[in-house]
Amino acid sequence: MSAKTELHFRLDGQLTEVMRLRVQSLQQRRQKRQEGERLLQPNEAVYRLDFSKQSLRFSHWTVRLAQPGRLTIIAISQLWTPDLTNLMTRQLLEPVGVFWRTATEDTPAQCYEADAAEFGERIAELAKVRKVMYFLFAFAEGCSPESVDCSITFIVD
């Protein structure tokens, strides 16, 4: 039987702050973003996954939303080096993961299953060449960083 590993998405507070400062700096100087640059929106934060193993196959998502809301997870290409370059829209990967909860009872988060599975498989492919991967988490409709617990489980080859 193959071993499984569950990786939790972790907030990268420092990188989120750097990206917020970029937006603030542009606003203060009344400058526009670079052509194709992707600025961090107020409802977004940067999260990361750290891969201890590279040979992975996607198994499943575990997303818990403590209250009704919507979480969109956007993966960022392995080509982005946050300490050297601004984030460009061409570095955002598709499909995205969209998870939501509409009921106030303790119901599991829902998702577009085919997109979520394809998204997980894409992350597993990128894990083969990266030790760290970054993601934009967009919180909407009552969802907030404090109300989200998110992980992805892989089968270790």
Side-chain angles (χ1 to χ4, degrees):
M1 184 172 162
S2 298
K4 289 188 176 184
T5 184
E6 181 180 16
L7 302 177
H8 287 268
F9 289 86
R10 293 184 341 201
L11 175 66
D12 191 321
Q14 184 177 7
L15 189 50
T16 299
E17 183 61 24
V18 165
M19 292 184 71
R20 291 202 193 294
L21 290 172
R22 168 78 177 144
V23 173
Q24 188 178 33
S25 172
L26 288 173
Q27 289 171 341
Q28 287 173 345
R29 291 189 259 146
R30 300 191 194 316
Q31 292 180 332
K32 294 187 190 263
R33 62 183 172 85
Q34 292 178 358
E35 177 81 25
E37 183 180 2
R38 172 59 159 76
L39 298 175
L40 195 66
Q41 300 300 308
N43 68 322
E44 294 176 335
V46 180
Y47 281 70
R48 64 185 284 156
L49 273 182
D50 293 280
F51 300 103
S52 56
K53 297 180 173 47
Q54 264 56 55
S55 187
L56 304 172
R57 283 182 289 134
F58 171 71
S59 175
H60 63 273
W61 290 92
T62 304
V63 177
R64 291 180 195 88
L65 303 178
Q67 60 197 39
R70 178 177 295 267
L71 171 66
T72 303
I73 303 173
I74 306 164
I76 300 172
S77 156
Q78 76 272 18
L79 302 175
W80 183 47
T81 50
D83 52 338
L84 300 174
T85 61
N86 295 324
L87 179 60
M88 305 304 275
T89 55
R90 68 177 176 272
Q91 295 168 319
L92 302 178
L93 303 177
E94 291 185 353
V96 300
V98 180
F99 303 89
W100 68 92
R101 197 175 118 202
T102 54
T104 53
E105 304 87 47
D106 193 21
T107 57
Q110 297 177 301
C111 66
Y112 299 116
E113 289 186 29
D115 285 349
E118 184 180 342
F119 187 40
E121 290 164 7
R122 188 95 190 261
I123 293 168
E125 279 298 310
L126 291 168
K128 291 178 178 156
V129 295
R130 295 298 275 190
K131 290 211 177 267
V132 176
M133 194 168 167
Y134 294 98
F135 299 83
L136 295 180
F137 274 39
F139 305 96
E141 301 170 19
C143 187
S144 68
E146 300 77 32
S147 68
V148 171
D149 180 25
C150 184
S151 67
I152 186 169
T153 300
F154 297 99
I155 298 166
V156 180
D157 286 335

